Amino acid sequence: MQNNKTTERKTMKSLLSSSSSSSPGLRKPRLSPYLFSLLTFILFVAILYGEDFMCIFGRQLQLGPVDSERPFSRTVKKREKLPFAVGKTPEGCDVFSGRWVRDESNRPLYEESECPYIQPQLTCLEHGRPEKEYQYWRWQPHGCDLPRFNATLMLETLRGKRMMYIGDSLNRGQYVSMICLLHSLIPEDQKSMETFGSLTVFTAKEYNATIEFYWAPFLLESNSDDAVIHRVSDRIVRKGSINKHGKHWKGVDIAVFNTYLWWMTGLKMKILLGSFDDEVKDIVELTTEDAYRMAMKSMLRWVRLNMDPKKTRVFFTSMSPSHAKSIDWGGVEGGNCYNETTIIEDPAYWGSDCRKSVMEVIGEVFGKSKVPITFLNITQLSNYRKDAHTSIYKKQWNPLTPEQLANPVSYADCVHWCLPGLQDTWNELLFAKLFYP
Ligand SMILES: *[C@@H]1O[C@H](CO)[C@@H](O)[C@H](O)[C@H]1NC(C)=O
Ligand SMILES: *[C@@H]1O[C@H](CO)[C@@H](O)[C@H](O)[C@H]1NC(C)=O
Ligand SMILES: *[C@@H]1O[C@H](CO)[C@@H](O)[C@H](O)[C@H]1NC(C)=O
Ligand SMILES: *[C@@H]1O[C@H](CO)[C@@H](O)[C@H](O)[C@H]1NC(C)=O
């Protein structure tokens, strides 16, 4: 964070100094002394509060009713109906702005034990979570109600179609949530789930429908692309390489992208300019934000060239927050999501694990683009859910050491989410945006 601020300030400073030196004696005489000192003051404040200025600017870009409520494109406004739409969300209602309410009669939307597709990293009850408080929360937007998730409508819509989630393990969680929301409507002998390398395909046979997940944690080609062995210490992403994976996404009717966590190395990102086969690799280092911007632009370009806006819908899910430091929410030093069973009540809460600057990059790139992508802004609503992570209640691939066992905080997973749980809400929001845009 601190580093970002310094860089942004530096950039602003250099921008400012270059522009003032390019027009030396010309402008000054025209400005009244008063105006000149006012300008100087504004520039001074801008330098001092560089990041906040960016924030305010970013928000203005984002929060206009058009941008927050529709895909980031003005052209969409003129189109009478988006594909698959059956209704409309009330004018001016931002479904991502709201609060969590307890709802024991309508939640969870399915039982953990009734959905065999949940991977053992996400079955918290099976792995000993002692309570299921996290399952009883419903998202309530401030301005309207979310439409009820209608599995029949979703499955009928997918008849003869392909839906694909593309991204990292968090997107895989949302993918599995969608299958859990739908599978009970499909008889046992009519459904299957198979994995082919990076691609996992759930098939609903009599519907001739597939719901797929494609592992591409950076969307672009990287050295972390192996769907099983992808934990490499030194991550490298190849510039301009989206087609390497993108060729496997062609022809889908509904695409749901995400990418975030893998960019958060805490270091600069290594970007490969040539090919992974080059003996001497041509690598440049970019800030996380610049590298992420590059990926966003590649994704939008891919969508523009490969998806037909008259027949398909494309979604992008924003950053999934982690809860690795309990001091963020006023907890004890050294704690994390382990043993958390309540939500965060402070509406303004924003943890230290989630970078606002990355959200701003998304806003900036999408804001400029005419490609109709619907933004699923799940970051803030998930920020409140420190209780919803898998924590220690998941399959461990390696046996835990006595030291770890003595200190559960040390091995709690505060990144991924239990199912059923928070990610069902992400799909309820996807459902809302798909059918009631
Ligand atoms: C996402 O939603 C939150 C909560 O409503 C809002 O504060 C934030 O500005 C939104 N971000 C974007 C990029 O729309
Ligand atoms: C769900 O969708 C189906 C198919 O469109 C429709 O027939 C049914 O009435 C819907 N159910 C509810 C509860 O709205
Ligand atoms: C099944 O769906 C695919 C698209 O996923 C389509 O190309 C094909 O024509 C469909 N087949 C039938 C028999 O409807
Ligand atoms: C878990 O939290 C409760 C209070 O919320 C506390 O009483 C208990 O000691 C904590 N357990 C552990 C193992 O930290």
Side-chain angles (χ1 to χ4, degrees), residues 160-162 208:
K161 299 210 159 51
R162 292 174 73 194
N208 183 31

Side-chain angles (χ1 to χ4, degrees), residues 236-250:
I236 304 173
V237 178
R238 186 174 149 231
K239 186 177 158 78
S241 61
I242 198 159
N243 285 327
K244 164 94 195 228
H245 298 309
K247 60 176 185 275
H248 302 285
W249 316 332
K250 285 188 180 174

Side-chain angles (χ1 to χ4, degrees), residues 25-79:
L26 269 174
R27 288 260 165 88
K28 269 185 205 162
R30 291 198 182 179
L31 291 175
S32 74
Y34 169 72
L35 200 57
F36 183 72
S37 46
L38 183 67
L39 274 178
T40 318
F41 177 69
I42 290 173
L43 294 182
F44 174 65
V45 173
I47 292 167
L48 258 187
Y49 298 101
E51 195 184 37
D52 306 51
F53 257 61
M54 305 286 273
C55 265
I56 295 163
F57 184 61
R59 265 153 205 264
Q60 277 175 345
L61 257 182
Q62 283 327 299
L63 289 179
V66 175
D67 280 346
S68 62
E69 269 319 287
R70 297 192 168 259
F72 283 78
S73 160
R74 258 145 268 242
T75 55
V76 172
K77 223 167 88 180
K78 296 192 196 102
R79 205 172 292 134

Side-chain angles (χ1 to χ4, degrees), residues 148 150 152-153 156:
R148 218 186 159 88
N150 182 337
T152 309
L153 174 59
E156 285 300 336

Side-chain angles (χ1 to χ4, degrees), residues 78-148:
K78 296 192 196 102
R79 205 172 292 134
E80 58 296 337
K81 187 172 163 288
L82 287 170
F84 313 118
V86 299
K88 273 177 81 69
T89 296
E91 201 70 36
C93 174
D94 178 0
V95 291
F96 304 109
S97 165
R99 67 198 164 93
W100 289 102
V101 295
R102 290 279 294 179
D103 190 348
E104 285 180 38
S105 38
N106 295 301
R107 292 294 177 287
L109 293 170
Y110 54 89
E111 295 296 331
E112 182 187 295
S113 57
E114 287 165 6
C115 185
Y117 304 97
I118 311 176
Q119 58 272 52
Q121 295 97 301
L122 306 183
T123 46
C124 297
L125 297 182
E126 191 190 333
H127 290 92
R129 184 156 177 162
E131 43 71 43
K132 38 195 250 184
E133 295 301 300
Y134 64 97
Q135 296 191 355
Y136 299 120
W137 295 100
R138 178 171 59 77
W139 181 247
Q140 177 63 57
H142 288 311
C144 55
D145 290 333
L146 279 183
R148 218 186 159 88

